[in-house]
Amino acid sequence: MILETEPVCKSKDTEETWQQSLAGAITDPKELFELLDLNLKHLPAAVQADKTFSLRVPRNFINRMVKGDWNDPLLKQFLPIAQEFDLQPGYTADPVGEKNTNPRPGLIHKYHGRVLLIVSGGCAINCRYCFRRHFPYAENNPGRQQWSSTLDYIANDSSISEVILSGGDPLAASNSLLSGLVQQIAAIPHVKTLRVHSRMPVLIPQRIDKECLHWLTSSRLNPVMVIHCNHANELNEATGTALSQLRNAGVTLLNQSVLLAGVNDDPTILRNLSERLFAFGVLPYYLHLLDKVQGAAHFDVEQDHASKIVAELIETLPGYLVPKLVKEQAGARSKTPISLY
Ligand SMILES: *Cc1c(COP(=O)(O)O)cnc(C)c1O
Ligand code: SF4
């Protein structure tokens, strides 16, 4: 275990269904403050910021944190705070320019060979730095009929070899929806790879149930899952079990992180994260510079500083445990690599 302190309360990881964990997430700032013994002087700001993008965190995630610690690296990722109202030049509502690459409802085609499907607008957690915090999900939540026009788009472009289920968190959708969708994708001959971008194995590990493993691995598509984890404290025994099940079923496991000031902008923290991920069979993939989304400026790490952090990682880790430092640029044909020296 990474945490040396006692958990806040007994884990219910194994007792609750994933649907119960998802529905029972903490959304009331006051309840969060009480559960974690946080200083109530910050509550009014939390309530205010919650109105612009609501608080959401699963209860079992709370068990991985230290009570009363305002600087807990997990807390900072989802706690609404006053600094979100400090508007900074250059921070916008659509920093990665997705509204212009949205040819069908729920489909984003920005990069060669890959399309991204927005399967669910919801997430198990609301990350304060998320570039989708202002995305028009209501317009991008296709009903079953609209999926057929999206699937036609993929079928009519033979350059598309990979379909990425994304969101929100695609694993917030039901197994029956996902399994039906995957069958339809697998019926398009030029698609070879099925990728899932999800924070669920970390947040609500029991989401990786039998049915999920089945639709992921039973089609002819090559399955890849990219999880999202920013700090080693996010990974506990239950997440380890979920990840092993995915790996044993033949899913290639990768991780993406966002470089966040006050959370993981430190070579030792990132080294621990890479090593812990690898112990669970996951390789680091991307380390993203923050997307300049309104309300997240306090998370920003200067590009030069980011390069230095990763240069230090390279000195102490095998190459396969060093994530690629990248940023998203509106209009670019891929993620943009950041040079280190
Ligand atoms: C990141 C991203 C992808 C996947 O890019 P990879 O470099 O293959 O991981 C695809 N589509 C969109 C819109 C993306 O933002
Ligand atoms: S899409 Fe990812 S980063 Fe954004 S809120 Fe959901 S889990 Fe967090």
Side-chain angles (χ1 to χ4, degrees), residues 53 122-133 137 167-169 199 203 228 258:
F53 183 51
C123 286
I125 190 167
N126 282 344
C127 310
R128 307 314 292 179
Y129 53 84
C130 183
F131 74 96
R132 294 181 195 279
R133 59 186 283 171
Y137 278 113
D169 198 311
R199 218 177 169 179
L203 292 162
H228 171 181
V258 182

Side-chain angles (χ1 to χ4, degrees), residues 109-322:
H109 191 187
K110 215 157 74 166
Y111 297 163
H112 180 81
R114 290 149 287 172
V115 292
L116 205 136
L117 295 190
I118 297 175
V119 176
S120 153
C123 286
I125 190 167
N126 282 344
C127 310
R128 307 314 292 179
Y129 53 84
C130 183
F131 74 96
R132 294 181 195 279
R133 59 186 283 171
H134 309 283
F135 193 78
Y137 278 113
E139 299 157 30
N140 275 283
N141 208 354
R144 286 190 188 240
Q145 264 151 15
Q146 279 176 297
W147 278 122
S148 71
S149 114
T150 303
L151 289 158
D152 283 348
Y153 178 93
I154 300 171
N156 287 326
D157 183 344
S158 61
S159 74
I160 298 170
S161 61
E162 176 168 12
V163 174
I164 304 170
L165 307 185
S166 185
D169 198 311
L171 295 186
S174 69
N175 285 321
S176 77
L177 184 145
L178 291 160
S179 140
L181 192 57
V182 168
Q183 277 175 31
Q184 288 177 281
I185 295 167
I188 303 172
H190 50 262
V191 178
K192 308 281 187 253
T193 305
L194 172 69
R195 192 194 317 184
V196 177
H197 280 181
S198 176
R199 218 177 169 179
M200 211 59 103
V202 173
L203 292 162
I204 303 182
Q206 66 271 38
R207 175 66 187 88
I208 308 306
D209 55 14
K210 259 202 213 124
E211 294 77 26
C212 175
L213 290 167
H214 185 259
W215 62 255
L216 252 176
T217 59
S218 63
S219 79
R220 61 169 191 85
L221 302 168
N222 193 356
V224 179
M225 186 171 294
V226 182
I227 65 166
H228 171 181
C229 180
N230 298 317
H231 194 288
N233 287 7
E234 292 173 42
L235 301 166
N236 63 6
E237 303 294 326
T239 60
T241 304
L243 294 168
S244 317
Q245 283 172 332
L246 286 164
R247 190 148 179 257
N248 294 340
V251 179
T252 298
L253 290 176
L254 303 169
N255 178 60
Q256 51 185 342
S257 309
V258 182
L259 187 61
L260 299 167
V263 173
N264 61 6
D265 56 337
D266 172 277
T268 305
I269 289 174
L270 289 175
R271 186 166 63 240
N272 287 341
L273 173 60
S274 276
E275 286 174 343
R276 186 132 174 100
L277 283 165
F278 185 57
F280 288 146
V282 184
L283 288 174
Y285 180 38
Y286 282 142
L287 177 62
H288 296 267
L289 290 183
L290 185 76
D291 293 314
K292 296 205 180 294
V293 62
Q294 235 170 59
H298 57 285
F299 285 117
D300 192 44
V301 178
E302 294 270 338
Q303 191 166 312
D304 282 355
H305 185 48
S307 300
K308 286 199 188 98
I309 292 172
V310 178
E312 256 190 80
L313 275 188
I314 287 181
E315 287 174 16
T316 52
L317 281 174
Y320 59 86
L321 291 188
V322 181

